[in-house]
């Protein structure tokens, strides 16, 4: 083999994308020491997206003090492209679930206000083009917090300005645009999201994702009812109908807020990143592409990293194999067109042992070396 491309997502809780790819590269080199190996650290809109984009554009990081999901000030930040043209924001870095302890999780209270603060900071520093990843949120406030930070005001039936969190969704009767930052009209937002859920309903933000963010059954019903009420108000106020739009329910409805109020474009995170990285150009003449993540299953063919890689590779007739720690739904994966799906776990092994970074690196290297040996027969 003369050229192999390695493009892997992180093995969550175990290895970063870069670490997993280095292990795979070592496996290739064990068998084909002269092979050109090109590594593409990759993500699908959630954790890791910011680093990928900053590195790919030779950009830099901007530190900011902003509000976490419970309005506590933390040091966080965003990225800017090397040409100083695009601001990259990863909402999980300021309003993500990992920022809260298990007992602090409550989507009635958590807010996306900090995400709006990052946008505002970038706007005030001259940025008008944004790429924002919205995976991994701790929130279900339909983006109200973000909008509040940008100057939108939400009123209840008594004419009082409402506070923060998902708890206010069913109380909003009016939206005031008079204090919205004027530069927003010139800003362009591209939103990377890895889910296709609608704004509300059985497959919407609250019913599908709110429980993992700390909601109980009663909260979920109240949040969904609030989302439905707010979407009707959005329609009557802006003319935008977002209820059934795929991706509007991402990040607890943040996707819908971007659509309705900031005229954003929602894109599958992997599609957006591959385009930014000019992946199609860099894989030309490759003999093989190796992709993977911690677990692959039927969800992997619904906008996740492996399927995004496969779609690009198919355009050029390049075979793609997947390596993963856990595998399910192999029939679905095979039908999707992957040339092979391989578990990196060599024998019965406890999850605790398999998740140790050194063990995972060794397992990836060994598995890839075996694959390359077969491919070069």
């Amino acid at each position: 083999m003369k050229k192999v491309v390695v493009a892997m997502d992180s093995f969550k809780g175990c290895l970063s994308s870069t670490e997993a790819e280095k292990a795979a590269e070592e496996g290739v080199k064990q068998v084909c020491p002269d092979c050109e190996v090109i590594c593409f650290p990759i993500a699908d809109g959630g954790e890791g997206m910011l680093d990928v984009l900053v590195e790919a554009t030779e950009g830099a990081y901007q530190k900011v003090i902003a509000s976490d999901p419970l309005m506590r000030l933390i040091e966080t930040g965003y990225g800017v492209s090397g040409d100083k043209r695009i601001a990259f924001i990863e909402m999980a870095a300021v309003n993500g679930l990992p920022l809260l302890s298990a007992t602090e999780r409550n989507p009635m209270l958590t807010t996306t206000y900090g995400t709006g603060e990052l946008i505002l900071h970038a706007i005030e520093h001259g940025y008008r083009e944004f790429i924002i990843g919205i995976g991994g949120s701790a929130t279900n406030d339909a983006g109200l917090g973000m909008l509040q930070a940008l100057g939108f005001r939400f009123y209840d039936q008594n004419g009082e300005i409402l506070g923060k969190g998902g708890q206010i969704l069913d109380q909003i009767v009016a939206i005031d645009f008079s204090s919205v930052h004027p530069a927003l009209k010139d800003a362009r937002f591209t939103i990377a999201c890895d889910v296709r859920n609608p704004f509300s309903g059985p497959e919407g933000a609250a019913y599908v994702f709110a429980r993992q963010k700390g909601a109980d059954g009663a909260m979920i019903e109240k949040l969904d009812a609030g989302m439905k009420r707010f979407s009707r108000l959005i329609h009557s106020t802006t003319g935008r109908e977002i209820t059934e739009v795929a991706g509007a329910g991402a990040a607890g409805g943040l996707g819908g807020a971007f659509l309705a109020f900031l005229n954003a474009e929602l894109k599958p995170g992997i599609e957006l990143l591959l385009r930014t990285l000019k992946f199609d150009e860099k894989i030309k003449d490759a003999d093989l592409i190796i992709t993977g993540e911690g677990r692959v299953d039927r969800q992997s063919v619904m906008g996740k990293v492996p399927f995004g890689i496969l779609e690009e590779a198919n355009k050029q007739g390049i075979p793609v194999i997947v390596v993963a720690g856990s595998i399910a739904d192999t029939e679905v994966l095979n039908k999707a067109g992957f040339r092979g799906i391989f578990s990196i776990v060599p024998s019965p092994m406890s999850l605790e042992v398999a998740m140790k970074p050194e063990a995972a690196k060794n397992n990836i290297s060994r598995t890839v070396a075996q694959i390359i040996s077969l491919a070069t027969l």
Side-chain angles (χ1 to χ4, degrees), residues 167-182:
Q167 62 188 347
I168 72 168
L169 280 165
D170 63 353
Q171 302 174 50
I172 305 169
V173 299
I175 306 171
D176 178 5
F177 296 77
S178 63
S179 299
V180 173
H181 198 290

PDB file of all heavy atoms in Angstrom, residues 167-182:
ATOM      1  N   GLN A 167     -37.666  26.328  32.209  1.00  0.00           N
ATOM      2  CA  GLN A 167     -38.871  26.580  33.002  1.00  0.00           C
ATOM      3  C   GLN A 167     -39.709  27.751  32.473  1.00  0.00           C
ATOM      4  O   GLN A 167     -40.896  27.853  32.793  1.00  0.00           O
ATOM      5  CB  GLN A 167     -38.479  26.865  34.456  1.00  0.00           C
ATOM      6  CG  GLN A 167     -37.607  28.104  34.616  1.00  0.00           C
ATOM      7  CD  GLN A 167     -37.067  28.262  36.017  1.00  0.00           C
ATOM      8  OE1 GLN A 167     -37.523  27.592  36.955  1.00  0.00           O
ATOM      9  NE2 GLN A 167     -36.087  29.143  36.193  1.00  0.00           N
ATOM     10  N   ILE A 168     -39.119  28.628  31.648  1.00  0.00           N
ATOM     11  CA  ILE A 168     -39.882  29.788  31.175  1.00  0.00           C
ATOM     12  C   ILE A 168     -40.566  29.547  29.831  1.00  0.00           C
ATOM     13  O   ILE A 168     -41.334  30.386  29.365  1.00  0.00           O
ATOM     14  CB  ILE A 168     -38.992  31.049  31.075  1.00  0.00           C
ATOM     15  CG1 ILE A 168     -38.022  30.953  29.888  1.00  0.00           C
ATOM     16  CG2 ILE A 168     -38.256  31.307  32.369  1.00  0.00           C
ATOM     17  CD1 ILE A 168     -37.331  32.270  29.558  1.00  0.00           C
ATOM     18  N   LEU A 169     -40.307  28.401  29.213  1.00  0.00           N
ATOM     19  CA  LEU A 169     -40.827  28.154  27.867  1.00  0.00           C
ATOM     20  C   LEU A 169     -42.341  28.298  27.762  1.00  0.00           C
ATOM     21  O   LEU A 169     -42.851  28.828  26.767  1.00  0.00           O
ATOM     22  CB  LEU A 169     -40.407  26.751  27.396  1.00  0.00           C
ATOM     23  CG  LEU A 169     -38.982  26.608  26.872  1.00  0.00           C
ATOM     24  CD1 LEU A 169     -38.586  25.136  26.786  1.00  0.00           C
ATOM     25  CD2 LEU A 169     -38.848  27.276  25.505  1.00  0.00           C
ATOM     26  N   ASP A 170     -43.062  27.813  28.764  1.00  0.00           N
ATOM     27  CA  ASP A 170     -44.526  27.852  28.674  1.00  0.00           C
ATOM     28  C   ASP A 170     -45.113  29.156  29.215  1.00  0.00           C
ATOM     29  O   ASP A 170     -46.335  29.285  29.341  1.00  0.00           O
ATOM     30  CB  ASP A 170     -45.144  26.653  29.395  1.00  0.00           C
ATOM     31  CG  ASP A 170     -44.856  26.637  30.885  1.00  0.00           C
ATOM     32  OD1 ASP A 170     -44.061  27.493  31.353  1.00  0.00           O
ATOM     33  OD2 ASP A 170     -45.416  25.781  31.590  1.00  0.00           O
ATOM     34  N   GLN A 171     -44.251  30.136  29.512  1.00  0.00           N
ATOM     35  CA  GLN A 171     -44.726  31.416  30.047  1.00  0.00           C
ATOM     36  C   GLN A 171     -44.568  32.575  29.065  1.00  0.00           C
ATOM     37  O   GLN A 171     -45.071  33.672  29.308  1.00  0.00           O
ATOM     38  CB  GLN A 171     -43.956  31.764  31.324  1.00  0.00           C
ATOM     39  CG  GLN A 171     -44.065  30.723  32.425  1.00  0.00           C
ATOM     40  CD  GLN A 171     -43.155  31.062  33.596  1.00  0.00           C
ATOM     41  OE1 GLN A 171     -43.161  32.178  34.104  1.00  0.00           O
ATOM     42  NE2 GLN A 171     -42.347  30.095  34.015  1.00  0.00           N
ATOM     43  N   ILE A 172     -43.888  32.346  27.947  1.00  0.00           N
ATOM     44  CA  ILE A 172     -43.589  33.442  27.022  1.00  0.00           C
ATOM     45  C   ILE A 172     -44.821  33.797  26.190  1.00  0.00           C
ATOM     46  O   ILE A 172     -45.426  32.936  25.558  1.00  0.00           O
ATOM     47  CB  ILE A 172     -42.440  33.050  26.072  1.00  0.00           C
ATOM     48  CG1 ILE A 172     -41.210  32.612  26.858  1.00  0.00           C
ATOM     49  CG2 ILE A 172     -42.073  34.232  25.164  1.00  0.00           C
ATOM     50  CD1 ILE A 172     -40.135  31.973  25.993  1.00  0.00           C
ATOM     51  N   VAL A 173     -45.150  35.084  26.205  1.00  0.00           N
ATOM     52  CA  VAL A 173     -46.270  35.546  25.364  1.00  0.00           C
ATOM     53  C   VAL A 173     -45.825  36.607  24.363  1.00  0.00           C
ATOM     54  O   VAL A 173     -46.561  36.922  23.425  1.00  0.00           O
ATOM     55  CB  VAL A 173     -47.434  36.096  26.219  1.00  0.00           C
ATOM     56  CG1 VAL A 173     -47.982  35.028  27.136  1.00  0.00           C
ATOM     57  CG2 VAL A 173     -47.017  37.336  27.007  1.00  0.00           C
ATOM     58  N   ALA A 174     -44.634  37.181  24.558  1.00  0.00           N
ATOM     59  CA  ALA A 174     -44.170  38.231  23.643  1.00  0.00           C
ATOM     60  C   ALA A 174     -42.648  38.231  23.565  1.00  0.00           C
ATOM     61  O   ALA A 174     -41.960  37.872  24.531  1.00  0.00           O
ATOM     62  CB  ALA A 174     -44.662  39.596  24.097  1.00  0.00           C
ATOM     63  N   ILE A 175     -42.143  38.618  22.391  1.00  0.00           N
ATOM     64  CA  ILE A 175     -40.706  38.699  22.153  1.00  0.00           C
ATOM     65  C   ILE A 175     -40.367  40.130  21.742  1.00  0.00           C
ATOM     66  O   ILE A 175     -41.004  40.694  20.850  1.00  0.00           O
ATOM     67  CB  ILE A 175     -40.261  37.732  21.041  1.00  0.00           C
ATOM     68  CG1 ILE A 175     -40.717  36.305  21.339  1.00  0.00           C
ATOM     69  CG2 ILE A 175     -38.738  37.776  20.863  1.00  0.00           C
ATOM     70  CD1 ILE A 175     -40.516  35.331  20.183  1.00  0.00           C
ATOM     71  N   ASP A 176     -39.356  40.708  22.402  1.00  0.00           N
ATOM     72  CA  ASP A 176     -38.927  42.076  22.110  1.00  0.00           C
ATOM     73  C   ASP A 176     -37.576  42.028  21.392  1.00  0.00           C
ATOM     74  O   ASP A 176     -36.605  41.496  21.921  1.00  0.00           O
ATOM     75  CB  ASP A 176     -38.808  42.844  23.428  1.00  0.00           C
ATOM     76  CG  ASP A 176     -38.318  44.277  23.238  1.00  0.00           C
ATOM     77  OD1 ASP A 176     -38.158  44.710  22.083  1.00  0.00           O
ATOM     78  OD2 ASP A 176     -38.080  44.951  24.256  1.00  0.00           O
ATOM     79  N   PHE A 177     -37.530  42.583  20.182  1.00  0.00           N
ATOM     80  CA  PHE A 177     -36.327  42.575  19.359  1.00  0.00           C
ATOM     81  C   PHE A 177     -35.557  43.901  19.442  1.00  0.00           C
ATOM     82  O   PHE A 177     -34.510  44.043  18.807  1.00  0.00           O
ATOM     83  CB  PHE A 177     -36.689  42.335  17.887  1.00  0.00           C
ATOM     84  CG  PHE A 177     -37.299  40.998  17.599  1.00  0.00           C
ATOM     85  CD1 PHE A 177     -38.626  40.724  17.907  1.00  0.00           C
ATOM     86  CD2 PHE A 177     -36.551  39.991  17.000  1.00  0.00           C
ATOM     87  CE1 PHE A 177     -39.189  39.493  17.634  1.00  0.00           C
ATOM     88  CE2 PHE A 177     -37.107  38.750  16.725  1.00  0.00           C
ATOM     89  CZ  PHE A 177     -38.428  38.500  17.042  1.00  0.00           C
ATOM     90  N   SER A 178     -36.038  44.865  20.203  1.00  0.00           N
ATOM     91  CA  SER A 178     -35.494  46.222  20.139  1.00  0.00           C
ATOM     92  C   SER A 178     -34.057  46.354  20.639  1.00  0.00           C
ATOM     93  O   SER A 178     -33.349  47.280  20.243  1.00  0.00           O
ATOM     94  CB  SER A 178     -36.389  47.182  20.933  1.00  0.00           C
ATOM     95  OG  SER A 178     -36.428  46.836  22.308  1.00  0.00           O
ATOM     96  N   SER A 179     -33.610  45.442  21.493  1.00  0.00           N
ATOM     97  CA  SER A 179     -32.254  45.537  22.037  1.00  0.00           C
ATOM     98  C   SER A 179     -31.281  44.541  21.414  1.00  0.00           C
ATOM     99  O   SER A 179     -30.150  44.387  21.889  1.00  0.00           O
ATOM    100  CB  SER A 179     -32.292  45.320  23.561  1.00  0.00           C
ATOM    101  OG  SER A 179     -33.078  46.310  24.192  1.00  0.00           O
ATOM    102  N   VAL A 180     -31.716  43.878  20.344  1.00  0.00           N
ATOM    103  CA  VAL A 180     -30.854  42.887  19.687  1.00  0.00           C
ATOM    104  C   VAL A 180     -29.637  43.579  19.087  1.00  0.00           C
ATOM    105  O   VAL A 180     -29.744  44.664  18.496  1.00  0.00           O
ATOM    106  CB  VAL A 180     -31.646  42.140  18.594  1.00  0.00           C
ATOM    107  CG1 VAL A 180     -30.730  41.240  17.782  1.00  0.00           C
ATOM    108  CG2 VAL A 180     -32.764  41.328  19.223  1.00  0.00           C
ATOM    109  N   HIS A 181     -28.471  42.940  19.244  1.00  0.00           N
ATOM    110  CA  HIS A 181     -27.239  43.540  18.737  1.00  0.00           C
ATOM    111  C   HIS A 181     -27.367  43.800  17.229  1.00  0.00           C
ATOM    112  O   HIS A 181     -27.661  42.874  16.465  1.00  0.00           O
ATOM    113  CB  HIS A 181     -26.048  42.614  19.007  1.00  0.00           C
ATOM    114  CG  HIS A 181     -24.726  43.306  18.910  1.00  0.00           C
ATOM    115  ND1 HIS A 181     -24.204  43.751  17.725  1.00  0.00           N
ATOM    116  CD2 HIS A 181     -23.827  43.659  19.875  1.00  0.00           C
ATOM    117  CE1 HIS A 181     -23.037  44.326  17.947  1.00  0.00           C
ATOM    118  NE2 HIS A 181     -22.793  44.293  19.246  1.00  0.00           N
ATOM    119  N   PRO A 182     -27.125  45.036  16.794  1.00  0.00           N
ATOM    120  CA  PRO A 182     -27.353  45.370  15.381  1.00  0.00           C
ATOM    121  C   PRO A 182     -26.463  44.608  14.395  1.00  0.00           C
ATOM    122  O   PRO A 182     -26.862  44.401  13.237  1.00  0.00           O
ATOM    123  CB  PRO A 182     -27.068  46.875  15.323  1.00  0.00           C
ATOM    124  CG  PRO A 182     -26.245  47.175  16.544  1.00  0.00           C
ATOM    125  CD  PRO A 182     -26.708  46.215  17.573  1.00  0.00           C
TER     126      PRO A 182
END
